[in-house]
């Protein structure tokens, strides 16, 4: 609860910075002194959306190259702490962003660029008629969740607790994609994943929405790293995400902060 | 005897300099990462980590699953090795290639293949579930199957090599003296390839102990049921890297102890 409050505060400060024309002020398209390359460390779940946004950005600013390194947020945070060189870090949760901030590797406060809701994932056509979180406790229903150590497992536990449902999962998967594939392969009847995962999974599965009151919202903060070699381009890219990139993120299932 | 030792000493001293340098680099390549682990180990909290219920459960499960996988591999793999070494039949090389495929297949892909075979909607998994009531995914049996799938080829190729290089005249002699095929196998063939059997079983066990990809894909991850040590290490890396290092060292110590113990006792290496 306190963590969420702190997070909300951070967001408020960050948003304040942007609107107050701070260092993150949007760069207009006419301003074309941009060139060179930046490397963006981004959470795996941002893969599809960021790849699209990166391509659009390069088209808007010819001569620039945006490289991505996608991996789990905790792996990325560890890589940055071990000295990996890059310009921007986009995490799928606040704790991993905090690790990088506390190591003194960032140059300003992070900004939340997107949110992601949890959803119940079931096989196409919902053969087991899972309608709500409470159904996950039904006996005979094979449910898989993320392990508590990874963000999606942490969020799943919070949501189930809010709903007062106690689920005994058949497995605690190492990442959200594994939960999705267990359901897609028919090995599990239901799981808890992000809305964006259901959207990207295609035809094998479908999502059952969780009411907002019970849902836990994952936040994606982004920050420019202290050791950035091309700060101007990094700033322009982050601004682009906050303006034109919003639509693209929405198209991939993310909600606006 | 004296002559032999002297000549050996001369041979040793004349080892090419380049070979020694490269061998040293090769050894360092294995030792440096190990040193990295040892130096980063939080020794003060190590015992506390080791004693936790979850770690003990993972260790117990790892030992149970790897030993069971080795036992299954011996029962099924030795006859397979014998077939490859002694019987000539069409398609033998293809069959042989297929059985050692898990050695090069990414284990995660192996896990998916197992799901497609023994999963709820798999080729035989559906039948297993409806007629026999056997469910493999998300069970300890599933973890054992995954480890067997990945580790058994190591036993098969080691035993096959042993069978191929042994002197078959002993078997012929036993046959002419009236021993049945079964007796020859038990009393002549298997005792003669004992070093290969043990080496193959140890390799198989070590591979099963470290198995990760196929297990987490096919059997999932649940503490006490399918969470073996490598899975526990991987998940601990997410939340508590110190615990992951301690867990890795435990796994390392257990496997080193077993390998060294076996080597002195049975493999006769000096």
């Amino acid at each position: 609860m306190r963590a969420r409050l702190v997070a909300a505060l951070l967001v408020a400060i960050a948003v304040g910075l942007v609107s107050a024309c701070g260092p993150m002020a949007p760069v207009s398209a006419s301003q074309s002194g941009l060139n060179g390359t930046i490397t963006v460390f981004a959470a795996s779940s941002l893969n599809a959306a960021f790849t699209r946004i990166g391509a659009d950005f390069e088209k808007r600013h010819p001569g620039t190259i945006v490289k991505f390194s996608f991996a789990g947020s905790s792996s990325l945070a560890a890589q940055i702490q071990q000295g990996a060189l890059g310009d921007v870090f986009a995490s799928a949760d606040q704790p991993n962003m905090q690790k990088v901030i506390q190591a003194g590797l960032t140059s300003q406060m992070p900004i939340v660029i997107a949110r992601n809701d949890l959803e119940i994932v079931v096989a196409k056509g919902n053969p087991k008629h899972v309608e709500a979180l409470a159904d996950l406790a039904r006996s005979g229903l094979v449910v898989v969740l993320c392990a508590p150590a990874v963000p999606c497992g942490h969020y799943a536990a919070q949501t189930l607790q809010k709903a007062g449902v106690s689920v005994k999962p058949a497995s605690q998967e190492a990442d959200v994609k594994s939960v999705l594939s267990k359901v897609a392969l028919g090995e599990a009847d239901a799981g808890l994943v992000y809305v964006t995962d259901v959207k990207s999974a295609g035809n094998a599965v479908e999502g059952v929405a969780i009411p907002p009151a019970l849902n836990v919202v994952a936040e994606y903060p982004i920050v420019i790293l202290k050791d950035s070699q091309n700060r101007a381009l990094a700033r322009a890219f982050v601004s682009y995400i906050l303006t034109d990139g919003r639509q693209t993120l929405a198209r991939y299932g993310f909600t606006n902060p | 005897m004296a002559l032999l030792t002297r000549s050996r000493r001369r041979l040793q001293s004349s080892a090419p300099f380049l070979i020694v340098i490269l061998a040293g680099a090769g050894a360092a390549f294995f030792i440096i990462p190990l040193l990295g682990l040892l130096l980063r180990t939080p020794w003060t909290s190590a015992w506390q980590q080791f004693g936790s219920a979850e770690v003990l459960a993972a260790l117990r499960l790892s030992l149970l699953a790897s030993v069971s996988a080795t036992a299954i591999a011996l029962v099924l793999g030795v006859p397979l090795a014998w077939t490859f070494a002694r019987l000539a039949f069409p398609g033998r090389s293809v069959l042989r290639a297929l059985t050692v495929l898990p050695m090069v297949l990414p284990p995660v892909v192996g896990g998916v293949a197992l799901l497609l075979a023994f999963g709820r909607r798999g080729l035989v998994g559906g039948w297993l579930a409806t007629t026999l009531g056997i469910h493999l995914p998300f069970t300890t049996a599933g973890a054992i199957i995954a480890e067997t799938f990945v580790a058994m080829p190591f036993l098969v190729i080691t035993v096959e090599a042993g069978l191929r290089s042994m002197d078959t005249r002993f078997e012929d002699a036993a046959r002419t003296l009236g021993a049945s095929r079964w007796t020859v196998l038990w009393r002549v063939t298997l005792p003669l390839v004992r070093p290969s059997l043990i080496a193959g079983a140890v390799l198989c066990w070590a591979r099963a102990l470290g198995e990760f990809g196929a297990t987490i894909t096919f059997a999932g991850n649940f503490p006490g049921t399918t969470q073996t040590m490598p899975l526990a290490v991987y998940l601990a890396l997410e939340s508590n890297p110190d615990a992951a290092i301690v867990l890795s060292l435990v796994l390392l110590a257990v496997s080193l102890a077993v390998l060294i113990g076996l080597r002195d006792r049975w493999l006769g290496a000096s």
Side-chain angles (χ1 to χ4, degrees):
Chain A
M1 206 59 218
R2 226 179 92 187
R4 279 179 62 84
L5 213 109
V6 172
L9 249 153
L10 283 178
V11 174
I13 294 168
V15 169
L17 267 178
V18 172
S19 52
C21 226
M24 301 291 304
V27 177
S28 66
S30 59
Q31 185 185 334
S32 60
L34 295 171
N35 55 36
T37 304
I38 52 167
T39 301
V40 178
F41 296 111
S44 310
S45 44
L46 290 168
N47 194 327
F50 263 32
T51 305
R52 179 79 245 159
I53 292 173
D56 291 345
F57 180 83
E58 286 170 355
K59 212 179 288 171
R60 174 82 61 87
H61 302 282
T64 62
I65 296 171
V66 183
K67 282 192 201 162
F68 292 104
S69 171
F70 294 107
S73 302
S74 51
S75 307
L76 292 172
Q79 284 171 17
I80 294 166
Q81 280 172 292
Q82 295 297 324
L85 280 180
D87 304 275
V88 177
F89 173 43
S91 169
D93 65 352
Q94 293 287 0
N96 282 304
M97 178 56 80
Q98 288 307 317
K99 281 186 214 165
V100 174
I101 293 172
Q102 270 153 29
L105 297 168
T106 55
S107 61
Q108 69 336 16
M109 295 300 278
I111 297 169
V112 174
I113 50 165
R115 290 161 190 266
N116 210 344
D117 296 318
L118 281 185
E119 205 168 38
I120 304 170
V121 61
V122 294
K124 195 77 192 169
N126 200 352
K128 300 275 177 169
H129 308 292
V130 176
E131 309 296 345
L133 285 171
D135 291 334
L136 298 183
R138 214 193 289 156
S139 72
L141 196 79
V142 181
V143 179
V144 288
L145 301 174
C146 286
V150 293
C152 59
H154 181 68
Y155 294 135
Q158 284 184 348
T159 294
L160 289 170
Q161 198 188 354
K162 272 193 196 178
V165 178
S166 123
V167 173
K168 189 172 184 316
S171 176
Q172 300 176 339
E173 298 291 328
D175 52 60
V176 67
K177 295 290 180 204
S178 303
V179 174
L180 197 67
S181 74
K182 289 286 192 296
V183 175
L185 284 168
E187 222 45 67
D189 297 314
L192 284 178
V193 299
Y194 298 117
V195 169
T196 51
D197 294 308
V198 178
K199 207 150 189 166
S200 67
N203 285 326
V205 297
E206 64 180 56
V208 178
I210 298 169
L214 300 177
N215 215 324
V216 175
V217 179
E219 290 179 333
Y220 289 68
I222 198 167
V223 80
I224 295 173
L225 295 170
K226 204 171 162 187
D227 291 335
S228 170
Q229 300 296 307
N230 193 341
R231 199 167 289 257
L233 188 58
R235 232 177 256 160
F237 181 66
V238 172
S239 308
Y240 184 80
I241 294 172
L242 288 167
T243 50
D244 300 83
R246 285 248 160 98
Q247 277 181 336
T248 313
L249 283 165
R251 211 161 58 231
Y252 285 90
F254 292 97
T255 51
N256 281 330
Chain B
M1 198 60 210
L3 190 77
L4 196 78
T5 37
R6 201 180 310 145
S7 69
R8 188 183 292 165
R9 193 173 304 148
R10 194 179 307 139
L11 269 179
Q12 267 179 5
S13 63
S14 70
F17 190 61
L18 181 67
I19 295 287
V20 176
I21 296 285
L22 289 176
F29 180 66
F30 289 113
I31 292 168
I32 290 172
L34 205 62
L35 270 180
L37 266 187
L38 285 173
L39 292 178
R40 271 293 313 276
T41 303
W43 294 107
T44 41
S45 63
W47 273 111
Q48 202 179 322
Q49 309 271 18
F50 178 68
S52 82
E54 197 154 315
V55 172
L56 290 179
L59 190 60
R60 193 189 59 82
L61 187 68
S62 261
L63 291 176
L64 171 77
S66 58
V67 169
S68 308
T70 310
I72 296 173
L74 277 169
V75 172
L76 301 179
V78 173
L80 204 56
W82 190 88
T83 307
F84 291 149
R86 293 295 155 81
L87 297 184
F89 55 93
R92 180 177 68 172
S93 53
V94 175
L95 187 65
R96 191 176 176 281
L98 287 178
T99 52
V100 297
L101 201 63
M103 290 178 82
V104 291
L105 204 65
V108 177
V109 178
V112 173
L114 285 172
L115 275 180
L116 297 177
F118 302 113
R120 226 162 35 159
R121 289 199 214 141
L123 277 179
V124 289
W127 176 81
L128 278 179
T130 48
T131 29
L132 301 178
I134 297 175
H135 299 271
L136 289 175
F138 310 133
T139 63
T140 305
I144 294 171
I145 297 281
E147 290 187 2
T148 310
F149 181 76
V150 173
M152 190 160 85
F154 289 84
L155 180 110
V156 174
I157 59 161
T158 313
V159 175
E160 189 197 342
L163 284 168
R164 280 183 188 280
S165 64
M166 82 172 250
D167 193 341
T168 53
R169 284 177 303 179
F170 290 110
E171 292 173 332
D172 298 339
R175 287 287 289 157
T176 55
L177 291 173
S180 70
R181 288 171 191 278
W182 196 244
T183 311
V184 171
L185 183 70
W186 274 109
R187 305 292 294 274
V188 180
T189 314
L190 291 184
L192 275 174
V193 295
R194 201 179 74 152
S196 307
L197 273 177
I198 293 170
V202 168
L203 273 175
C204 172
W205 174 79
R207 181 65 188 86
L209 189 70
E211 216 302 304
F212 171 78
T215 310
I216 200 165
T217 310
F218 180 58
N221 168 63
F222 198 81
T225 319
T226 57
Q227 189 183 71
T228 55
M229 285 292 276
L231 274 58
V233 169
Y234 183 75
L235 281 155
L237 270 179
E238 290 283 336
S239 57
N240 187 355
D242 281 354
I245 292 174
V246 173
L247 285 175
S248 309
L249 283 182
V250 171
L251 196 60
L252 223 113
V254 170
S255 43
L256 260 185
V258 171
L259 290 177
I260 291 172
L262 280 176
R263 193 173 153 79
D264 286 349
R265 198 162 301 171
W266 283 303
L267 296 186
S270 51

